[in-house]
Amino acid sequence: MSSTSTTATYQPATKVGRITDFVDSRVGGSSMVKEFGRKIFPDHWTFMFGEVALYSFVILLLSGTFLTFFFDPSMAETHYDGSYVPLKGVEMSVAYASSLDISFDIRGGLFMRQVHHWSALLFVAAVSVHMLRVFFTGAFRRPRELNWVVGGVLLILAMAAGFTGYSLPDDLLSGNGLRIIDGVIKSVPVVGTYISFFLFGGEFPGTDIIGRLYVLHILLIPAIILLMIAIHLFMVVVHKHTQYPGPGRTNDNVVGFPVGPVYAAKAGGFFFIVFGIIAFISAAFTINPIWNYGPYDPSPVSAGTQPDWYIGWVDGALRLMPGWLGSFPFEWEIPFPWGTNTLSLNVLLPALVPAGIVFTLLFTWPWIERWITKDNREHHLLDRPRNAPGRTAVGVAGVVFYCVMWAAASSDLIATHFSVSLNDVTYWLRVLFFLGPVLGFIITRRIALALQRKDREIALHGRETGRIVRLPHGEYIEVHEPLDDYKLYKLVSYDAPMTVPAEADRNGHISKSEKRRAMISRFLFEDRVAPVTPAELEEAHSHGHQDQLATDADNAAVVEKH
Amino acid sequence: MKALSQRRRHPMAAIALLLLGLLVTGGLYAVASTANEAKAETTYSASDIAEGEKLFVANCATCHGMGASGTDDGPSLVGVGAASVDFQVGTGRMPLQMSGPQAMEKPNQFTEEQTAQLSAYVASLGAGPGIPDEEYLEHEGLEAEEIAEGGEIFRVNCAMCHNAAAAGGALTRGKFAPGLADVSEKHIYEAMATGPQNMPVFNDANITPEDKKKVIGFLKTIESQGSPGGADLGSLGPVSEGLFIWVAGLGAVIGFTVWLTSRSS
């Protein structure tokens, strides 16, 4: 009954059967179930962060819909008359008043607001961790480069959704955030002021911005996110899921469980687990207590004003930027025939350059890596991060770069909570901004190579048991225990990228970019731990496991490296 | 008017103008600063002052000098007023435990009586803000609107250092504005009136005693009401929220993912 041709002859016996057959013969559902229900997915906990992101998004849609029933995005002035005493009679916008009403005067409103905000934080966090997993395991390689790009777009959209939502209550905290955005926009040379006036409908803050952000937040951005998720998942189905190397897992198969019934049940259950975690957090921990901050008013700025975590790194970059470098100013007044224009590099550079670097590298990395390694093969088997020391080191350098800026966004809290000087925190983070990624790169690569060497030792000579045995002729040895085949497979089956020297083109000419590529390739892959070959394994085992002497092991390691 | 315009280029005109300006400024300042003078004309007995002087000589004069005239290590206390002494000594900030970016709070070194005697002595050296009247500290009878007004005053004048939820914040070079929970009404008032450490003075012309009372009422209301939405994570805003979702939220999620995938493989 999977295709329409057979339904003509199929006679359902029961009433339910007749209804089902009626629907199926018109919708073709059974063939879809047959196709997708037998789809195999591999099982590993690190594969589930994308799922967490998806579920958080569903929770966002549900809780957000509830909030739209009661939220009024108007910036008209009103006097608060709700039940929260410390704001009684205070002049504020209708948007802020309705957010307070949701929090204090609508049954379940505060809980739903907190569900919405906590799941927003979890959504972006899950997207980020998912992307880190994809990066460090090399899952972005052919044929999945475009899906990586779609993922990057989703990350940006998630941040945009978060920021537009964060601003909606029109409280003091988010208003300060909007003012920073306004400052960044105004720092764009020549057109900045015009863009700012266009966006805010006049001088900041105006009376338009909340309504405009609301339309973006509840209509445009979620619609694009949904579209991107559809494309993302479609490509996952087309490409099939990647898997970690293991016995029986090849580049041409997927080892795991079918969607139906195993994953359908697991994923459905997992949705409720994520929902449960968010609901528990929302019930027990407050988030964005807008009643503390008061209505937005351009004059007060509270201490400890920060954006939500995913915008924090940009805020941190702004905090790290000096206005002057010695006697060199970052703000210039440039005379033009029509008057003086100000170029505020002290705002423009930190707001755009670090984010520009991070996102450019993020989007182009699959092509950069392909260009360096000249590896254009399809990869359905993942790398363990240690087995790609160059990529892992680049990734950690990026993470350190991000985290330094992230930490800078909470420099004031670091200062008060660890009793250090705010100025010193800023100076140290400025140093780390440049030095941190370099150190991160070097240390990570050394650690990855060391782990590979350790794997190689264990593969060849087995695990050190700590059991010391004295031989008849008086010598002491430590007994090594060989690995079982499954564990051994994990340690020996991987590709170790090698330096690809510069190659001449058809005319025998080596172009400059090719030389540069060869240089990078040498830099990344010169130090390399080769995977254990079957011959080496055979040789190591022919020694007999019991007789592995420390000197043998040392010799082997020296020979292997050079 | 003609006479005035003719003489405006007189050699003495500039000096006359300067004198006039100084007189007006000085006169206005005198008027304004009397507004800041102590309301509470608590009369201290001569014995209080004498006892206070003994305590001062034994405990404070090392830095503040004999007669509180100041040394290289500590400022003169002539004219700081009783409120200043009551705050600094009453919160344990003085005597100073150690030199640092700012005086730290610590257990009180003197009894209430001794603190009052010290205050009496310092107040006798020169006029300054006195200990606030009880009527400006008794905030129980405030209307909701007045508490809300106190909140507005707090957000405009205080929140940039003390944080909108009065959780405290960082200043430059290791200095900080402390959190205001558990600070007594009297000490909040005195801090506003005298501007201890790096805090500016909010004198009576700036924030009237009635408004100070509203600020105190607001602070005590948000302190006693607790956090309506659950545990407040230190009222530190998005940083503690972000830290929480990454550590606790993602931690719990990862725990479940490991559990969900541990059975099958």
Side-chain angles (χ1 to χ4, degrees):
Chain A
M1 59 173 174
S2 61
S3 69
T4 41
S5 59
T6 50
T7 46
T9 54
Y10 175 72
Q11 289 300 324
T14 62
K15 203 174 179 186
V16 176
R18 272 199 297 280
I19 296 170
T20 316
D21 185 56
F22 176 85
V23 175
D24 187 44
S25 60
R26 281 155 184 81
V27 180
S30 60
S31 59
M32 275 196 280
V33 170
K34 198 178 173 192
E35 173 68 25
F36 287 103
R38 302 313 296 167
K39 195 108 185 119
I40 301 290
F41 280 93
D43 211 10
H44 195 271
W45 66 271
T46 59
F47 294 160
M48 298 179 86
F49 293 111
E51 241 178 288
V52 176
L54 180 65
Y55 299 154
S56 315
F57 185 69
V58 172
I59 297 165
L60 279 169
L61 289 182
L62 294 174
S63 55
T65 306
F66 178 91
L67 295 178
T68 59
F69 295 161
F70 305 103
F71 179 71
D72 182 352
S74 156
M75 287 177 89
E77 281 171 31
T78 181
H79 289 267
Y80 180 66
D81 192 28
S83 51
Y84 184 69
V85 170
L87 286 171
K88 198 96 176 166
V90 171
E91 190 178 347
M92 59 181 62
S93 67
V94 170
Y96 184 60
S98 68
S99 306
L100 287 174
D101 287 342
I102 289 173
S103 304
F104 293 110
D105 294 299
I106 286 160
R107 204 169 288 273
L110 181 54
F111 176 71
M112 289 307 262
R113 249 199 68 220
Q114 299 198 147
V115 164
H116 195 67
H117 208 135
W118 278 122
S119 49
L121 294 198
L122 185 66
F123 175 51
V124 195
V127 170
S128 309
V129 176
H130 176 58
M131 290 193 86
L132 288 171
R133 197 281 294 171
V134 168
F135 181 86
F136 284 111
T137 58
F140 55 81
R141 290 173 295 176
R142 185 175 180 181
R144 296 181 180 81
E145 301 100 320
L146 287 180
N147 220 12
W148 168 255
V149 171
V150 171
V153 171
L154 273 168
L155 176 66
I156 292 175
L157 286 169
M159 289 168 62
F163 190 82
T164 50
Y166 164 86
S167 305
L168 291 182
D170 201 20
D171 58 317
L172 189 57
L173 183 70
S174 68
N176 290 152
L178 269 183
R179 184 52 148 171
I180 293 173
I181 295 289
D182 176 51
V184 169
I185 292 170
K186 280 182 175 147
S187 76
V188 176
V190 187
V191 293
T193 325
Y194 294 95
I195 297 175
S196 166
F197 271 65
F198 172 71
L199 185 67
F200 290 94
E203 181 58 90
F204 176 89
T207 52
D208 293 337
I209 187 67
I210 299 295
R212 291 179 180 178
L213 290 177
Y214 188 56
V215 172
L216 294 179
H217 182 74
I218 68 162
L219 185 71
L220 195 61
I221 295 173
I224 305 175
I225 289 180
L226 272 176
L227 178 69
M228 286 292 153
I229 289 177
I231 297 173
H232 201 65
L233 294 181
F234 174 74
M235 287 214 260
V236 169
V237 170
V238 169
H239 295 145
K240 301 184 178 61
H241 206 288
T242 51
Q243 56 188 346
Y244 284 105
R249 297 177 180 184
T250 71
N251 222 11
D252 305 315
N253 69 6
V254 183
V255 178
F257 290 89
V259 167
V262 178
Y263 274 111
K266 271 196 174 185
F270 191 43
F271 170 78
F272 288 103
I273 286 175
V274 173
F275 208 155
I277 291 172
I278 289 175
F280 172 74
I281 291 176
S282 307
F285 299 93
T286 195
I287 187 167
N288 197 21
I290 49 165
W291 52 88
N292 276 346
Y293 305 127
Y296 183 61
D297 165 359
S299 55
V301 178
S302 166
T305 295
Q306 274 98 2
D308 276 346
W309 75 259
Y310 40 83
I311 309 285
W313 61 301
V314 185
D315 186 51
L318 283 165
R319 288 188 185 205
L320 284 185
M321 183 73 184
W324 291 73
L325 203 60
S327 58
F328 178 81
F330 283 107
E331 189 177 301
W332 296 327
E333 310 244 304
I334 302 168
F336 281 105
W338 57 84
T340 309
N341 274 37
T342 309
L343 183 59
S344 277
L345 287 179
N346 51 350
V347 178
L348 193 65
L349 288 182
L352 299 182
V353 172
I357 292 172
V358 168
F359 280 115
T360 309
L361 280 178
L362 187 146
F363 279 117
T364 53
W365 182 257
W367 288 273
I368 295 176
E369 188 178 306
R370 192 178 67 168
W371 173 67
I372 297 170
T373 58
K374 295 208 163 189
D375 177 1
N376 200 21
R377 292 168 298 164
E378 290 211 349
H379 289 276
H380 300 287
L381 282 177
L382 298 169
D383 284 330
R384 295 174 80 204
R386 68 183 63 173
N387 290 334
R391 179 202 301 139
T392 305
V394 168
V396 170
V399 169
V400 171
F401 186 62
Y402 182 96
C403 286
V404 168
M405 290 186 277
W406 208 10
S410 49
S411 54
D412 53 330
L413 293 171
I414 293 174
T416 49
H417 284 253
F418 297 101
S419 295
V420 288
S421 159
L422 177 61
N423 303 50
D424 292 342
V425 174
T426 307
Y427 299 148
W428 274 105
L429 288 174
R430 277 178 190 163
V431 172
L432 281 177
F433 180 82
F434 295 102
L435 212 58
V438 178
L439 286 177
F441 180 89
I442 295 169
I443 293 169
T444 307
R445 194 156 64 126
R446 278 3 279 190
I447 290 175
L449 287 168
L451 285 172
Q452 279 187 293
R453 257 179 231 132
K454 188 195 92 178
D455 281 357
R456 201 185 149 82
E457 267 307 302
I458 294 173
L460 285 176
H461 307 302
R463 188 174 66 83
E464 292 176 359
T465 56
R467 204 151 60 81
I468 309 292
V469 173
R470 191 182 177 196
L471 298 182
H473 55 279
E475 187 185 356
Y476 288 96
I477 59 160
E478 184 184 3
V479 177
H480 286 235
E481 189 187 340
L483 291 179
D484 66 60
D485 283 350
Y486 285 92
K487 282 186 180 148
L488 190 62
Y489 190 95
K490 213 170 98 175
L491 300 187
V492 298
S493 71
Y494 66 91
D495 278 342
M498 272 190 271
T499 302
V500 184
E503 287 164 12
D505 60 16
R506 229 176 289 162
N507 304 325
H509 175 70
I510 298 176
S511 69
K512 263 202 183 126
S513 83
E514 177 64 11
K515 279 181 189 157
R516 215 173 299 135
R517 187 204 59 74
M519 212 175 71
I520 299 170
S521 171
R522 202 170 60 239
F523 172 70
L524 284 179
F525 305 120
E526 195 173 37
D527 290 340
R528 169 176 182 268
V529 177
V532 177
T533 61
E536 282 173 318
L537 208 57
E538 188 55 40
E539 201 212 351
H541 284 209
S542 68
H543 280 297
H545 310 123
Q546 311 285 322
D547 302 336
Q548 281 316 304
L549 304 185
T551 48
D552 271 1
D554 284 349
N555 290 343
V558 171
V559 173
E560 282 145 15
K561 199 198 162 214
H562 298 287
Chain B
M1 279 318 281
K2 203 175 174 200
L4 199 65
S5 67
Q6 272 171 348
R7 286 192 194 139
R8 72 193 161 130
R9 299 206 189 279
H10 192 275
M12 297 300 277
I15 293 165
L17 213 70
L18 196 68
L19 268 176
L20 188 72
L22 282 172
L23 267 173
V24 168
T25 325
L28 279 178
Y29 180 76
V31 171
S33 59
T34 48
N36 190 29
E37 223 109 284
K39 294 271 170 300
E41 296 301 327
T42 334
T43 44
Y44 295 108
S45 68
S47 69
D48 277 346
I49 295 173
E51 284 299 317
E53 183 168 13
K54 279 186 204 157
L55 285 168
F56 188 88
V57 170
N59 295 287
C60 320
T62 320
C63 303
H64 289 295
M66 297 304 284
S69 54
T71 69
D72 290 343
D73 298 322
S76 161
L77 299 183
V78 177
V80 298
S84 185
V85 179
D86 191 61
F87 176 84
Q88 300 282 0
V89 177
T91 60
R93 288 181 166 83
M94 291 288 154
L96 200 57
Q97 192 168 37
M98 56 178 258
S99 287
Q102 72 186 38
M104 303 294 284
E105 226 180 322
K106 66 175 188 304
N108 212 335
Q109 303 290 298
F110 295 98
T111 64
E112 259 179 56
E113 192 194 358
Q114 288 170 323
T115 309
Q117 287 165 342
L118 274 172
S119 308
Y121 171 65
V122 172
S124 73
L125 301 173
I131 305 215
D133 274 346
E134 202 54 40
E135 64 168 304
Y136 297 124
L137 306 178
E138 187 43 64
H139 55 83
E140 293 296 335
L142 287 175
E143 300 284 323
E145 280 80 3
E146 290 176 309
I147 288 169
E149 204 189 322
E152 278 190 293
I153 296 168
F154 183 83
R155 280 190 292 277
V156 173
N157 294 287
C158 321
M160 54 277 288
C161 300
H162 285 290
N163 170 313
L171 304 173
T172 53
R173 303 211 173 276
K175 293 172 286 201
F176 64 94
L180 300 181
D182 300 328
V183 182
S184 75
E185 286 87 347
K186 187 173 71 161
H187 288 151
I188 295 174
Y189 190 103
E190 288 168 348
M192 284 190 273
T194 64
Q197 320 284 345
N198 300 286
M199 184 165 161
V201 172
F202 294 94
N203 63 33
D204 290 352
N206 196 328
I207 299 179
T208 63
E210 287 75 17
D211 284 348
K212 285 193 176 90
K213 178 177 168 178
K214 288 173 192 165
V215 171
I216 292 168
F218 169 73
L219 288 173
K220 290 297 158 192
T221 307
I222 61 169
E223 187 183 332
S224 60
Q225 77 178 9
S227 169
D232 63 9
L233 304 173
S235 292
L236 295 173
V239 171
S240 48
E241 291 158 9
L243 200 62
F244 185 81
I245 200 69
W246 272 90
V247 177
L250 264 185
V253 166
I254 288 173
F256 277 107
T257 59
V258 172
W259 175 61
L260 276 176
T261 51
S262 64
R263 301 294 160 101
S264 53
S265 56

